Amino acid sequence: MAATRVMATVASTTTTSLLFRGPLRPCDGVSLCFGSTRLVPKKRFFTCRALYKPEVQIKDEGQPETLDYRVFFVDSSGKKISPWHDIPLQLDDGVFNFIVEIPKETSAKMEVATDEIYTPIKQDTKKGKLRYYPYNINWNYGLLPQTWEDPSFANSEVEGALGDNDPVDVVEIGESQGKIGQIMKVKPLAALAMIDEGELDWKIVAISLDDPRASLVNDIDDVEKHFPGTLTAIRDWFRDYKIPDGKPANKFGLGNKAASKEYALKVITETNESWARLVKRSIPAGELSLV
């Protein structure tokens, strides 16, 4: 996804970082330590405990495929919340929340508006016109909440590429078509290190726990066995989708191959820690509770 300016609203004061409404509260047992880049267990994920999936509802404003169309998320009291910052990243051990932005077999380029209050989902634009992929995407596509690809971090494992300043993207390979704004429980299976115009844009390959084949796939080798050709198809789709518009193909790091589930979890951990640091430095000290 294209890098954008990120916005924050704290106590009615707008800053230049991100939207966050209220104190950051760690989940039970979380140890809030920063700076580690190694693979770590569940207790090291940082999350807001304000909301859980059953309390979240979707509210459309405007007409689809118009410049004004927005998909907002609201809590049980009807208050708007941020899908990026207020939806927890992790549910159980190895299970994560995935927010659908672009349902499979559609082409409208929908994305969380990181530069708008409450970060609703909207259709991306270029030069005032709505953007579409040149052809349908074949999988559900969206983001992991409470993650952030830090544009100041040069990843030495991926050609020194800098983060794209967005949440981490997910490609969900299950058979069902999601809906815009739908929150799916998924388990990561692999990771692709896409490099888009010099920026690192991770693609986490995952599957919904509700998919009939979910119990069969637990790592990259299972994907090759039960979804043969899918990892190559995902890489090739994201490599080539800009070519019809006259742009060069995207590149991929890590030997142009998908990495394992363990590596995907490392990416999720690191980008969740980046998000937590972003939140920490964006909120006045008196409004942040980290323990």
Side-chain angles (χ1 to χ4, degrees):
M1 297 183 182
T4 57
R5 184 177 64 87
V6 190
M7 179 188 207
T9 300
V10 179
S12 300
T13 301
T14 301
T15 70
T16 57
S17 294
L18 81 163
L19 168 70
F20 192 86
R21 299 161 41 255
L24 180 69
R25 294 186 292 272
C27 62
D28 295 340
V30 167
S31 173
L32 284 174
C33 303
F34 299 92
S36 172
T37 57
R38 61 186 176 83
L39 183 63
V40 293
K42 170 187 174 184
K43 66 179 181 179
R44 287 294 308 280
F45 285 96
F46 312 107
T47 188
C48 304
R49 298 190 59 220
L51 295 170
Y52 295 90
K53 179 179 176 180
E55 299 179 5
V56 179
Q57 298 180 359
I58 303 303
K59 180 181 179 183
D60 290 5
E61 294 189 7
Q63 295 298 315
E65 299 189 67
T66 67
L67 294 173
D68 296 330
Y69 181 61
R70 298 291 185 274
V71 178
F72 285 95
F73 290 63
V74 298
D75 64 16
S76 57
S77 69
K79 296 171 62 176
K80 290 178 179 177
I81 53 93
S82 166
W84 180 16
H85 304 303
D86 292 331
I87 305 298
L89 169 61
Q90 191 174 34
L91 294 171
D92 300 305
D93 189 20
V95 180
F96 297 83
N97 277 324
F98 156 60
I99 301 172
V100 179
E101 293 170 303
I102 306 174
K104 66 185 296 184
E105 306 307 333
T106 65
S107 64
K109 194 174 185 304
M110 310 298 294
E111 63 181 20
V112 162
T114 59
D115 59 347
E116 295 184 12
I117 190 169
Y118 303 115
T119 65
I121 296 174
K122 69 172 184 178
Q123 188 166 351
D124 191 23
T125 60
K126 185 175 183 179
K127 296 181 180 179
K129 295 184 178 181
L130 297 171
R131 293 187 66 189
Y132 295 85
Y133 289 123
Y135 31 72
N136 286 351
I137 190 168
N138 306 125
W139 311 274
N140 293 311
Y141 187 54
L143 74 141
L144 287 175
Q146 299 185 345
T147 61
W148 181 57
E149 299 196 46
D150 186 349
S152 69
F153 174 67
N155 193 311
S156 61
E157 297 178 6
V158 191
E159 303 180 19
L162 301 173
D164 72 348
N165 200 29
D166 277 330
V168 170
D169 298 330
V170 172
V171 183
E172 193 278 317
I173 63 174
E175 66 180 29
S176 297
Q177 182 187 52
K179 298 180 180 179
I180 298 174
Q182 181 178 350
I183 301 174
M184 291 185 178
K185 297 178 181 179
V186 301
K187 55 181 176 180
L189 303 169
L192 285 159
M194 190 176 91
I195 303 173
D196 182 357
E197 299 181 7
E199 294 181 336
L200 180 54
D201 189 1
W202 287 107
K203 309 297 178 190
I204 301 298
V205 180
I207 190 167
S208 169
L209 296 189
D210 293 329
D211 190 83
R213 288 183 283 179
S215 63
L216 302 176
V217 286
N218 294 290
D219 207 332
I220 188 170
D221 293 337
D222 297 329
V223 179
E224 295 288 7
K225 179 179 179 180
H226 297 285
F227 294 81
T230 295
L231 293 173
T232 298
I234 292 171
R235 183 200 63 195
D236 292 353
W237 195 98
F238 283 99
R239 181 192 65 197
D240 298 339
Y241 79 90
K242 291 185 176 182
I243 293 177
D245 293 330
K247 294 184 177 181
N250 288 318
K251 298 167 54 181
F252 284 85
L254 304 179
N256 206 38
K257 297 179 180 180
S260 67
K261 175 179 181 175
E262 181 180 23
Y263 200 98
L265 290 172
K266 180 170 83 80
V267 170
I268 295 171
T269 301
E270 291 173 354
T271 55
N272 174 243
E273 290 178 345
S274 294
W275 171 85
R277 286 192 293 270
L278 178 65
V279 170
K280 184 178 180 181
R281 69 173 181 253
S282 301
I283 302 173
E287 302 211 11
L288 182 65
S289 175
L290 297 179
V291 295

